[in-house]
Amino acid sequence: MQNNKFASIISEIDNNYILDHMPGYIYWKDLNSVYLGCNLNLAVVSNLKSPKDIIGKTDYDFEWGAKQADQFVKDDKFVIETGETHTSEYELPTKNHLGMNYIVRNVKRQLLSKSGRVIGVLAVAIDITMERVAERLQEEKNCQKDFINFMDNVQQLFNTFRVNTLNKAAGTKVNIINGSGNTKLSRRESEILYYLSMHRNPKEIAIILSASEGKKIAPSTVSSIINKGLYPKFDVHNTGQLIDKAISLQLLTFFPKP
């Protein structure tokens, strides 16, 4: 009686609707790694008009899969032959809204028929891009804190050493950086200088800062801080000179803290 109570409701449920509104990318293949179906999320990222359009295709047919298709097929065979669940992580060439490559965690298991016969592979892929980016940013931030402290000391030492030397040679007072003797960098300037020293360009720096702060920071904003903030303060005219000067100042790490 209890089952009959819900029978009419269950009969009205559209399983495809449920599938298409679940998070992640869900798909299933036959024993030869040929797609038999997928949910709407995978169809969209694959530039297909509908999930049905994936039927008959393989990983080699898609931009995100072509370069790693051999490994994807190898994973399929492992699951089919062993019956074990296989978990993997891949970075795909497809870009997200921040211009970063998608990083996905893929879980595969055998696809069984109603009689229990193995007929292919069932898989779910989850986008973990921001999770991995957050981990990388945390590692970089830890290094960045040390770098910023180092740069604070370097700025003081650099200013004192250069000014004193030139004052002695010229018999007068000379301000080396920005014409004011004030070498203090803002937090944002320090962050950008750090990433420039890691050979990141303004666009890459903007992407990193956007992901870290959860808001869009334009490459033009980064370029403006470099051109109007860092260049004048270090009395340079291009990024190469700025990086060279920063590298040359690393010799001062052996100086005692002021």
Side-chain angles (χ1 to χ4, degrees):
M1 289 295 295
Q2 187 70 14
N3 289 340
N4 293 335
K5 179 180 178 181
F6 299 105
S8 60
I9 299 176
I10 292 174
S11 66
E12 294 182 19
I13 294 176
D14 183 350
N15 291 331
N16 287 329
Y17 178 87
I18 296 174
L19 190 64
D20 288 341
H21 287 79
M22 292 181 67
Y25 310 99
I26 304 172
Y27 59 92
W28 47 102
K29 305 177 183 178
D30 68 9
L31 296 173
N32 296 312
S33 294
V34 177
Y35 282 93
L36 299 174
C38 71
N39 69 341
L40 185 60
N41 286 341
L42 184 57
V44 170
V45 80
S46 302
N47 294 317
L48 299 174
K49 292 182 179 180
S50 77
K52 293 180 180 179
D53 291 333
I54 203 170
I55 297 174
K57 296 185 181 298
T58 69
D59 293 312
Y60 297 94
D61 295 317
F62 300 104
E63 177 187 358
W64 50 258
K67 292 184 178 180
Q68 302 182 82
D70 288 346
Q71 185 59 51
F72 296 160
V73 172
K74 183 178 179 181
D75 294 345
D76 294 342
K77 289 183 177 179
F78 171 84
V79 171
I80 292 169
E81 294 174 359
T82 66
E84 297 181 17
T85 298
H86 183 272
T87 302
S88 57
E89 188 174 307
Y90 291 102
E91 181 170 343
L92 307 177
T94 307
K95 304 290 185 181
N96 64 12
H97 66 287
L98 290 174
M100 300 175 178
N101 288 350
Y102 278 103
I103 301 175
V104 297
R105 179 181 295 120
N106 214 15
V107 180
K108 295 182 177 181
R109 62 176 302 168
Q110 289 180 338
L111 177 65
L112 304 180
S113 67
K114 291 182 178 180
S115 63
R117 182 169 56 90
V118 179
I119 57 176
V121 176
L122 174 64
V124 178
I126 301 295
D127 181 5
I128 59 169
T129 307
M130 300 313 297
E131 177 183 334
R132 288 291 174 262
V133 168
E135 291 174 359
R136 295 172 186 173
L137 286 175
Q138 187 58 52
E139 293 176 359
E140 291 191 352
K141 278 186 176 181
N142 291 337
C143 295
Q144 182 182 339
K145 289 179 182 178
D146 294 336
F147 179 85
I148 291 173
N149 291 333
F150 161 71
M151 286 303 299
D152 284 342
N153 291 331
V154 166
Q155 288 156 25
Q156 297 176 35
L157 289 168
F158 175 72
N159 187 57
T160 301
F161 178 76
R162 289 286 302 276
V163 169
N164 289 343
T165 299
L166 290 183
N167 283 347
K168 183 177 180 181
T172 184
K173 290 188 176 182
V174 179
N175 291 320
I176 298 301
I177 301 176
N178 204 25
S180 66
N182 180 13
T183 63
K184 186 68 176 178
L185 297 181
S186 69
R187 179 103 186 149
R188 180 68 81 212
E189 288 172 335
S190 297
E191 290 174 337
I192 291 174
L193 181 58
Y194 168 75
Y195 288 118
L196 285 173
S197 74
M198 300 296 288
H199 308 292
R200 303 292 179 90
N201 60 43
K203 181 178 180 181
E204 292 171 328
I205 294 172
I207 290 174
I208 292 171
L209 295 177
S210 296
S212 175
E213 299 180 11
K215 62 181 180 180
K216 185 172 180 58
I217 297 174
S220 60
T221 300
V222 176
S223 295
S224 178
I225 292 173
I226 294 171
N227 294 327
K228 298 180 180 180
L230 292 174
Y231 286 175
K233 287 185 177 181
F234 283 91
D235 191 24
V236 297
H237 304 287
N238 58 57
T239 303
Q241 292 175 349
L242 180 62
I243 294 175
D244 286 343
K245 182 161 285 189
I247 292 174
S248 68
L249 293 177
Q250 289 181 2
L251 294 174
L252 295 175
T253 57
F254 297 101
F255 279 53
K257 293 184 178 181

